[in-house]
């Protein structure tokens, strides 16, 4: 798995959403909308968001966005990993949406370092 970069267009839409303090609508910047594969799990203890994806061969792989707390009100989004077979389908956008919704809901400030 490799790190995934959000496009500048996606980042712009994310920032605009934060300025309006609204929850994001994933369909506004993502084509990956298959609900059976897009359930994001937030594991607070291990500080990660995960999507388990059914592979065409019957197996299951995971896409993960990891974060750390810098202090009580600052979170750093440190890495996003998506299986190669699922890249370009908006999986990372789903993870980013969940992470940024978390940031907004918890009144946190975020630093994105997963480039």
């Amino acid at each position: 798995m490799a790190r995934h970069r959000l496009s500048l267009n996606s980042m712009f839409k994310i920032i605009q959403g934060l300025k309006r303090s609204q929850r994001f609508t994933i369909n506004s910047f993502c084509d990956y909308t298959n609900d059976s594969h897009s359930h994001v799990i937030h594991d607070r203890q291990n500080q990660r968001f995960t999507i388990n994806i059914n592979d065409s061969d019957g197996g299951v792989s995971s896409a993960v966005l990891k974060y750390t707390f810098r202090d009580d009100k600052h979170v750093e989004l440190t890495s996003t990993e998506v299986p190669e077979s699922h890249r370009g389908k908006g999986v990372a956008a789903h993870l980013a949406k969940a992470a940024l919704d978390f940031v907004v809901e918890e009144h946190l400030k975020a630093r994105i370092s997963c480039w």
Side-chain angles (χ1 to χ4, degrees):
M1 287 190 216
R3 291 184 178 181
H4 179 78
R5 288 185 182 208
L6 290 175
S7 70
L8 289 177
N9 188 34
S10 294
M11 288 302 296
F12 175 76
K13 289 179 181 181
I14 290 168
I15 291 166
Q16 290 303 322
L18 282 174
K19 287 181 181 176
R20 283 183 246 136
S21 296
Q22 296 174 346
R23 289 182 56 94
F24 304 112
T25 303
I26 196 69
N27 293 334
S28 66
F29 60 97
C30 169
D31 293 330
Y32 192 81
T33 57
N34 184 339
D35 290 334
S36 65
H37 303 288
S38 61
H39 178 71
V40 179
I41 301 163
H42 184 190
D43 180 353
R44 289 176 184 255
Q45 183 176 359
N46 293 309
Q47 299 179 338
R48 65 179 61 209
F49 293 87
T50 305
I51 296 175
N52 294 318
I53 307 165
N54 295 326
D55 293 326
S56 59
D57 64 359
V60 176
S61 55
S62 297
V64 178
L65 184 149
K66 298 177 185 175
Y67 65 92
T68 59
F69 278 94
R70 295 172 57 201
D71 58 46
D72 287 345
K73 289 293 179 182
H74 292 83
V75 66
E76 183 170 356
L77 306 178
T78 56
S79 69
T80 306
E81 299 175 354
V82 176
E84 192 169 334
S85 60
H86 296 283
R87 292 184 192 157
K89 299 178 182 175
V91 177
H94 274 278
L95 293 168
K97 177 200 177 301
L100 293 173
D101 281 346
F102 166 67
V103 167
V104 170
E105 290 166 4
E106 298 291 324
H107 306 287
L108 302 170
K109 292 188 178 187
R111 178 173 182 246
I112 300 171
S113 63
C114 56
W115 301 103

